[in-house]
C-alpha cells in the first residue's frame, strides 16, 4: 500500500480492517484461492461496513466464494 492512501497510521488501519475481514471470511472461500487487495485512497475514509461489503462483492465476482 502506498503513501497515497495516507500516513502510516491510516495505512495500517486499512490493512488491519482487510485482515480482519479476511480472517472472518476465510471459511466461506474456496481453498487454493489467492487474493491481492490493493488499498486505494478512498479506503482511508470508508466506513468499515462499506469496505467489507465491497470486499465481499469482489470476492463473489472473482468466484472465490
Amino acid at each position: 500500500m502506498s503513501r497515497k492512501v495516507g500516513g502510516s497510521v491510516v495505512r495500517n488501519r486499512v490493512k488491519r480492517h482487510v485482515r480482519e475481514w479476511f480472517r472472518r471470511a476465510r471459511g466461506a472461500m474456496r481453498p487454493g484461492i489467492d487474493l491481492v487487495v490493493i488499498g486505494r485512497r478512498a479506503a482511508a475514509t470508508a466506513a468499515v461496513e462499506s469496505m467489507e461489503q465491497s470486499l465481499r462483492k469482489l470476492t463473489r465476482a472473482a468466484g472465490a466464494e
Side-chain angles (χ1 to χ4, degrees):
M1 198 169 315
S2 74
R3 287 189 292 175
K4 290 180 183 180
V5 174
S8 62
V9 173
V10 174
R11 288 193 315 268
N12 288 328
R13 183 180 320 125
V14 171
K15 284 190 265 189
R16 281 193 307 272
H17 289 310
V18 171
R19 286 181 187 137
E20 177 61 20
W21 169 81
F22 180 76
R23 185 187 65 77
R24 286 185 274 129
R26 186 174 22 195
M29 289 188 197
R30 291 186 311 140
I33 294 291
D34 291 331
L35 298 175
V36 177
V37 178
I38 300 173
R40 300 289 185 195
R41 193 173 293 152
T45 57
V48 175
E49 296 82 19
S50 172
M51 190 183 315
E52 289 180 355
Q53 183 180 17
S54 296
L55 288 167
R56 264 192 309 273
K57 181 179 172 185
L58 291 170
T59 305
R60 282 190 203 115
E65 283 189 337

